[in-house]
Amino acid sequence: MSRRSGEQAAASRPPRGIPEETRDRLITAAARQFNRFGFHGTDSNSIAKEAGYAAGTFYKHFRNKREVFLVVYERWLAAEWKEVDDELSQVKNAEKTARRIVALVIRFHTEWSGLRASLMELVFSDPEVRKFFRRQRRRQLDHIMELRSRLRLPLQTSEEDAIFMCMTERVFDAIGQGEIQSLGLDQHVVIESIVERLHALLE
Amino acid sequence: MSRRSGEQAAASRPPRGIPEETRDRLITAAARQFNRFGFHGTDSNSIAKEAGYAAGTFYKHFRNKREVFLVVYERWLAAEWKEVDDELSQVKNAEKTARRIVALVIRFHTEWSGLRASLMELVFSDPEVRKFFRRQRRRQLDHIMELRSRLRLPLQTSEEDAIFMCMTERVFDAIGQGEIQSLGLDQHVVIESIVERLHALLE
Amino acid sequence: MSRRSGEQAAASRPPRGIPEETRDRLITAAARQFNRFGFHGTDSNSIAKEAGYAAGTFYKHFRNKREVFLVVYERWLAAEWKEVDDELSQVKNAEKTARRIVALVIRFHTEWSGLRASLMELVFSDPEVRKFFRRQRRRQLDHIMELRSRLRLPLQTSEEDAIFMCMTERVFDAIGQGEIQSLGLDQHVVIESIVERLHALLE
Amino acid sequence: MSRRSGEQAAASRPPRGIPEETRDRLITAAARQFNRFGFHGTDSNSIAKEAGYAAGTFYKHFRNKREVFLVVYERWLAAEWKEVDDELSQVKNAEKTARRIVALVIRFHTEWSGLRASLMELVFSDPEVRKFFRRQRRRQLDHIMELRSRLRLPLQTSEEDAIFMCMTERVFDAIGQGEIQSLGLDQHVVIESIVERLHALLE
DNA sequence: CATGAATGAGCCTTCATTCAT
DNA sequence: AATGAATGAAGGCTCATTCAT
């Protein structure tokens, strides 16, 4: 978990910026660092620095390190679901859609595998993160139900959805974190199996 | 520090014990704490204290905190596989065996869910842990191959094994960490699905 | 910082007010916070906020936190002496006057006990505050001398005044800060003793 | 509130000292710094440094900065009362004893005036300190009662004791903090007045 | 083998103050 | 006159690790 330096940005930014932009830069920097070094390997001062701000600025926008983490996670999740929704909104060929959704989710879980690893640990070790995580889960299930009715897909219980979601998500993590590859194996088969399962749900 | 600490454990231990026993007590204490508070939430001094030793003793037996973690994990894995092997060595009814193995693995993943969560995070954030983890994986795959030939089970590629292992393990984690239950759902279906898949491999 | 803060006060204030009013509101807010949380427990941003202004406004009216503190103290002292003077300007019955003065001073020291406690500490730790405090003291002694000649009271040295002032003030602090009561005792006796001493000076 | 440096001691001390001695050095250094710079002007790292230790050592002996402060105060109080008791244990001439006690108490309040100023402020701003302070007060009153019966002195209610204690203590503070002198006055009169009052209690 | 006092780098967080708008 | 985003020094506290005994 090596450290970096880099202190170049500060000069090129107006001393009185738009809060939303500052917040945004901080979130982006935080996301990068959490993903690279993990939650415990990232310190709030260096997030601020990478975003081009002083240490104190961080705490004008977030109560603490955990709060940014949650925001980062929320944003990540929203981005993922946005792409999934976009894909679903133009379904023509169910199999092709399933394949594209799986591909994009894997992309997300690969690119943000560090974030995912930290999340899983924090869900265990930090009650606040756990609470937040579970609220998000609920929201996702509701969203899926809504999607299904909108797209006139075959009905399924929320339980079945949850199971499918948990299972596949964990498997996406395994792929994203390189577990399959690290054993020198082809992950095509797993992907194909998930594509099939998703395909079945889409028609 | 003179008043606060209670040294209750110290009495039940030989003042100059057998090294192996000391080590053992340290590992046990470490396992408990890692599982309860996570790797980052556990401090080495308190492991030593819980085991009934002074802070320095810990470092006579382990190079650092990571090293115990690895030993704890190794021991955990060995215990799990021992039970799995025991189960397999007396196969009569394949389905029943599959069901029992799934049950015992879930038991392990539930009882040690904190350890698992920390492991996943460290595999990402700590290169040493990652290396160790992957070596273990290899060993497991080899062990499965060996089991199969010993038990004259139908052949399967190591790839298929790996996929099965990764996927199910992640799902066991999800169960052990209470994700399914926390959504208020019955996890019976997932378990049944895994039992079936395992059953298929056993005959 | 976008969600948490509530800006309730802002409405009741002209957006570009008379400087003196702004200053006044800041002083009032500062007084309240110093009295509640102490000098070190109060932050300048929150004074501005309570007064209905932005952080920077505070520093347009005061050089620093200490400066408002001094102004607050000065104002407090002036208010106290105003009431004392009012009482003295209509002396008919010396004993009754003594009693009323003691009562009002105790009221001041009780209502502003937090301010007093902070003052005492700053007089010690901050040379500027000390200097200011001593100048005020001088002024008080001069004022007493002047009062005496105006009211044709029996002469007394400035030393005797100073001693009386210091001693009684400290005792008023003790009462105001609840030291007597916290020991479960009746503070009537102390008060009576001071009333008597003051009475003696008034005729 | 200027800062000092000085880092010479560390080498001349055994790396494995007696805890009680370490604690003692820390308390002594803390007392000095609190007395010079006030509670808020003192930082725990520099206490450790002045005592000849690293920052962490401080926290092996005290839970936090407040805790040392309380210990320092307790020790200060004990030392004062020890001298008072010693004086009382050999009473021959009541007046002379009264005079000597007043002198020694003034010495304590002068030498430790900074500590006293900080104490008064913390009693107001910190609930824990307040609680502690009040417990000590109770103890002092009990001690006085006990002394009186041991020395066969004229009876007096605990209330009268409390009042006497509060009042005189505050006046000692005023003397110790130089309030009398700073007004260019002779504090002899005050002292004499207190001596008399104490004298009256001793026979 | 075991002790346990000591280390010290480093992290999180606060807050008085500034300055361009 | 007022704003409020930004600063950055500083301080409390933790904890993995060492080493003389």
Side-chain angles (χ1 to χ4, degrees), chain B residues 35-78:
Chain B
N35 194 44
R36 244 185 301 192
F37 312 117
F39 182 79
H40 297 290
T42 294
D43 87 284
S44 62
N45 285 23
S46 118
I47 291 172
K49 195 188 220 170
E50 179 175 327
Y53 296 91
T57 304
F58 180 91
Y59 288 88
K60 286 281 188 258
H61 291 266
F62 307 100
R63 252 202 308 280
N64 51 43
K65 207 169 76 160
R66 179 175 58 213
E67 197 176 287
V68 229
F69 185 85
L70 261 19
V71 171
V72 162
Y73 168 57
E74 196 173 24
R75 178 181 276 209
W76 176 83
L77 202 59

Side-chain angles (χ1 to χ4, degrees), chain D residues 147-173:
Chain D
L147 273 175
R148 208 192 325 276
S149 74
R150 179 141 52 83
L151 300 173
R152 295 162 197 283
L153 293 173
L155 290 184
Q156 193 179 265
T157 65
S158 203
E159 293 197 341
E160 288 167 312
D161 285 337
I163 289 162
F164 180 72
M165 195 163 67
C166 275
M167 286 186 64
T168 54
E169 193 180 83
R170 289 293 181 138
V171 175
F172 288 138
D173 279 339

Side-chain angles (χ1 to χ4, degrees), chain A:
Chain A
M1 204 106 293
S2 51
R3 298 272 76 193
R4 68 256 85 111
S5 50
E7 46 230 277
Q8 69 290 56
S12 63
R13 177 180 43 74
R16 172 80 178 273
I18 298 139
E20 206 47 55
E21 280 182 12
T22 299
R23 193 181 151 84
D24 217 78
R25 286 193 195 93
L26 287 166
I27 294 169
T28 303
R32 266 214 293 264
Q33 298 212 10
F34 286 143
N35 194 46
R36 250 187 295 192
F37 312 113
F39 182 79
H40 298 290
T42 295
D43 82 282
S44 62
N45 283 26
S46 102
I47 290 173
K49 195 186 237 174
E50 178 174 328
Y53 295 92
T57 303
F58 179 92
Y59 289 91
K60 287 271 190 258
H61 292 268
F62 308 99
R63 252 200 303 278
N64 50 44
K65 208 170 71 158
R66 178 176 57 213
E67 197 175 284
V68 229
F69 185 85
L70 259 23
V71 170
V72 162
Y73 168 57
E74 197 173 22
R75 179 178 278 210
W76 176 84
L77 202 58
E80 190 187 44
W81 277 95
K82 170 145 194 350
E83 294 206 18
V84 170
D85 288 357
D86 284 353
E87 211 58 67
L88 285 172
S89 68
Q90 41 185 319
V91 179
K92 277 151 202 169
N93 178 329
E95 198 208 321
K96 204 172 160 191
T97 298
R99 197 170 299 284
R100 292 176 66 157
I101 287 175
V102 168
L104 82 85
V105 171
I106 286 175
R107 176 162 46 79
F108 266 86
H109 281 244
T110 302
E111 194 167 351
W112 296 98
S113 61
L115 191 69
R116 292 279 318 164
S118 264
L119 174 69
M120 301 281 83
E121 201 267 341
L122 288 170
V123 164
F124 157 69
S125 68
D126 186 323
E128 292 295 318
V129 175
R130 185 157 55 243
K131 225 171 76 186
F132 184 87
F133 178 73
R134 300 218 161 134
R135 235 196 328 267
Q136 294 294 329
R137 271 276 191 262
R138 258 278 142 250
R139 223 169 271 178
Q140 288 166 60
L141 290 177
D142 295 345
H143 181 64
I144 289 173
M145 285 304 244
E146 192 202 312
L147 273 176
R148 206 188 330 272
S149 74
R150 179 142 51 83
L151 301 173
R152 296 162 197 284
L153 294 173
L155 292 183
Q156 193 178 264
T157 64
S158 205
E159 293 196 341
E160 287 168 312
D161 285 337
I163 289 163
F164 180 71
M165 197 164 66
C166 275
M167 287 186 62
T168 55
E169 194 180 81
R170 291 291 181 136
V171 175
F172 289 136
D173 279 339
I175 294 171
Q177 278 155 30
E179 264 185 69
I180 309 291
Q181 279 185 313
S182 82
L183 289 160
L185 310 171
D186 177 15
Q187 62 203 24
H188 194 67
V189 188
V190 202
I191 294 174
E192 215 46 42
S193 140
I194 296 176
V195 167
E196 267 170 47
R197 286 156 159 275
L198 180 58
H199 181 187
L201 295 179
L202 292 180
E203 59 178 15

Side-chain angles (χ1 to χ4, degrees), chain D residues 25-93:
Chain D
R25 286 194 195 95
L26 287 167
I27 294 170
T28 303
R32 264 214 293 265
Q33 299 212 9
F34 287 142
N35 194 44
R36 248 186 297 193
F37 312 112
F39 183 79
H40 298 290
T42 295
D43 81 282
S44 62
N45 285 25
S46 100
I47 291 174
K49 196 186 237 174
E50 178 173 328
Y53 296 92
T57 302
F58 180 91
Y59 289 91
K60 287 269 190 260
H61 292 268
F62 308 100
R63 252 200 303 279
N64 50 45
K65 208 169 73 158
R66 179 175 57 213
E67 197 176 285
V68 231
F69 185 85
L70 260 20
V71 171
V72 163
Y73 168 57
E74 197 173 23
R75 177 179 280 209
W76 176 83
L77 203 58
E80 191 187 42
W81 277 95
K82 170 142 195 351
E83 294 206 19
V84 171
D85 287 357
D86 285 353
E87 212 57 68
L88 285 172
S89 69
Q90 41 185 318
V91 180
K92 277 152 201 169
N93 178 329

Side-chain angles (χ1 to χ4, degrees), chain C residues 72-88:
Chain C
V72 162
Y73 168 57
E74 197 173 23
R75 179 179 277 208
W76 176 84
L77 202 58
E80 190 187 42
W81 277 95
K82 169 141 194 353
E83 293 206 20
V84 171
D85 287 357
D86 285 354
E87 211 57 66
L88 285 172

